Amino acid sequence: MEFSKSAVNWALPVLLLSCFLALLNINGVEASHKVFTEFQSINSVNVRQVHRTGYHFQPTKHWINDPNGPMYYNGVYHLFYQYNPKGAVWGNIVWAHSVSTDLINWKKVEHAIYPSKPFDQFGCWSGSATILPGNKPIILYTGIIDKNNTQVQNYAVPANLSDPYLREWIKPDNNPLIVADQSVNKTSFRDPTTAWLGRDGHWRIVMGSRRKDRGMTHMYRSKDFMHWTKAGHPLHSSAGTGNWECPDFYPVSISGKNGLDTSVMGPNVKHVLKVSLDVTRYEYYTLGSYLAQQDRYVPDKDMVDGWNGLRYDYGNFYASKSFFDPSKNRRILWGWANESDTTDNDVQKNWAGIQLIPRTIVLDPSGKQLLQWPIEEVETLRRNKVELNNQKLAKGEKIEIKGITVAQADVDVTFTFNSLDNAEPFDPSWDRYDAQKLCSQKGSTVQGGLGPFGLLTLASENLEEYTPVFFRVFKDQNKHVVLMCSDASRSSLMDPKTHMKNGNDAYRPSFAGFVNVDLKDKKLSLRSLIDNSVVESFGAGGKTCITSRVYPTLAVYGNAHLYAFNNGTETVNIESLNAWTMSRPLQMNH
């Protein structure tokens, strides 16, 4: 192992930011149903694949989006996902299907569901899997039945339960199971959840929808899973949030660290309602109580129930789906990260989208948020460990981490500091919900008091490019506010004439979130999973998570560098830093 330290101010002059782009949408997470008919069935040209990931789930070619109906069945993990088999933009969507015994090595099998019947001839959109009594899996999914985008809910079942991979799925002719009545918006009625079984013996599911600008989850009940009746009111709704899609509703244990089956209820349980918002292209969740007798969900009183609410991930993360893994008594979360590159570049390279590393979900001991952490299986890919302990970083210092392949790495670091006295005051004029704006103003090159300190990932040798992931601490009356940033604004070289990345309008935001953490121990931890064009970061043990997609031009493969840095007046100490090269899975046949 080798480390080098520089005591000069590492911060380069601030590069001009991109003209803020002609984005495809508000946040650069391209809408999963954005239509580019001219590109839907174009084959690839042979281009250099420098930005393909090494250990994330990614098909060899073409477009992917939402993870659908993940499940564990008879010793095998199944991942279904929205996939365009003909091109690198959204369109021609089928349910692709891959299987694994360890969530790391994946084998592609036949597509599970594709348009073929009147009840889904114009599309097979997202849904979920449920394991019925008798150990019988069933998929519920949204079918598009006409050119008006009318949405119905269908089901599919395995053709052969003795096949360990469940390669073939049948869509019976008694579909659709659920058709919207006159009170439901038929073009915003999709993505059925995993079903839960109530104490009255009835199954329940919800779908995402809206009524004008009020987002909602419509609930349906069934005794036999075939005949469904709409409840008289939504499970939950919230004004001003727009259309809800990809809802997820599940219990978490108040006192334990194990995950829970979707049907678990009781006094030792909180419920989570997560929705993906069409308008913002972000996901939000609340914690609360499921009132089973009334079939209503009530968020806890301190929850923000809307655009400023809690998120799984404050970056490029959308259309997520969780499932209960009975083999290890845990709940696992899958999330999709779209490209932040241009559609033209996606078409040229002929791939778009990745599934992020699966995460475990548990309730934080405070009961006020969730904790997420990469599944333990990803640690089997670690190689060539390097360590650093008790290394001080004064203002302007950085230290390089060598001895690993830093473009494809797992880095886990704990920073400590002696005092909170140098924390900058939190300006009362700042928006307490807009961490991203604050990060764009208080980036890694802006010197502070306590912070910024953290990691410079995917950095070029002379720091023409880098993606910093860092903390900055503020004083706010009687408490401290911790800002966590994953700043892609300097991740790629810009054309000096157009101020755009290589002359194109790639999206390079300063993603950020606040970290609800007690600083009495005067320490903050950060773990980053780096994989060529993605940086997944977990702050304070998974309290705040941020994913960035980046496209370096210099910091690729062996030319990438990794640094720990401090640009605050308060000296910070690297209490411990452990880093590994991440090898490719043995089987990547996606």
Side-chain angles (χ1 to χ4, degrees), residues 8 11 88 96 214 237 245 301 364 387 461 509 518 576:
V8 298
R214 176 177 284 273
S237 68
E245 57 182 359
K301 62 181 180 180
D364 183 75
E387 296 181 63
E461 183 175 7
D518 187 343
S576 65

Side-chain angles (χ1 to χ4, degrees), residues 109-307:
V109 296
E110 293 80 356
H111 298 328
I113 303 172
Y114 47 86
S116 64
K117 298 284 186 77
F119 49 78
D120 64 8
Q121 60 182 319
F122 289 91
C124 298
W125 288 7
S126 295
S128 301
T130 301
I131 308 297
L132 298 179
N135 200 31
K136 296 178 180 179
I138 186 170
I139 285 172
L140 295 176
Y141 72 98
T142 297
I144 312 301
I145 64 172
D146 58 32
K147 293 182 179 179
N148 297 323
N149 200 30
T150 301
Q151 298 162 21
V152 299
Q153 314 311 321
N154 303 318
Y155 80 104
V157 293
N160 179 11
L161 287 175
S162 65
D163 175 8
Y165 293 159
L166 304 179
R167 291 176 177 88
E168 182 182 356
W169 290 75
I170 296 170
K171 301 179 294 185
D173 289 333
N174 63 327
N175 277 306
L177 291 185
I178 301 174
V179 177
D181 63 24
Q182 295 302 313
S183 68
V184 174
N185 185 330
K186 295 179 174 61
T187 61
S188 296
F189 179 59
R190 56 180 175 266
D191 311 334
T193 60
T194 297
W196 70 95
L197 186 63
R199 292 171 180 168
D200 59 0
H202 286 76
W203 292 97
R204 288 161 173 81
I205 57 172
V206 294
M207 270 77 68
S209 188
R210 67 178 173 90
R211 185 175 298 132
K212 295 184 179 179
D213 67 347
R214 176 177 284 273
M216 60 185 58
T217 46
H218 289 298
M219 174 181 280
Y220 286 76
R221 306 184 187 96
S222 177
K223 185 74 172 176
D224 59 5
F225 222 87
M226 291 293 108
H227 302 87
W228 294 86
T229 301
K230 182 174 174 288
H233 52 78
L235 174 70
H236 186 58
S237 68
S238 183
T241 53
N243 186 54
W244 290 2
E245 57 182 359
C246 303
D248 204 2
F249 186 61
Y250 57 89
V252 288
S253 173
I254 291 176
S255 58
K257 292 299 183 183
N258 286 340
L260 300 175
D261 179 82
T262 308
S263 296
V264 171
M265 287 175 268
N268 199 36
V269 163
K270 277 185 183 285
H271 271 77
V272 179
L273 176 61
K274 183 278 302 186
V275 295
S276 306
L277 296 193
D278 240 350
V279 178
T280 66
R281 309 308 297 173
Y282 287 135
E283 298 199 310
Y284 302 82
Y285 75 86
T286 55
L287 295 164
S289 300
Y290 172 46
L291 308 179
Q293 297 298 320
Q294 297 99 316
D295 271 335
R296 288 189 185 275
Y297 167 75
V298 179
D300 289 346
K301 62 181 180 180
D302 55 349
M303 289 288 116
V304 177
D305 192 11
W307 290 14

Side-chain angles (χ1 to χ4, degrees), residues 398 400 458-465 554-555 559-561 563:
K398 73 180 192 303
E400 184 169 8
L458 295 173
S460 57
E461 183 175 7
N462 297 315
L463 295 184
E464 300 94 340
E465 311 180 316
L554 300 176
N559 293 322
H561 298 260
Y563 302 91

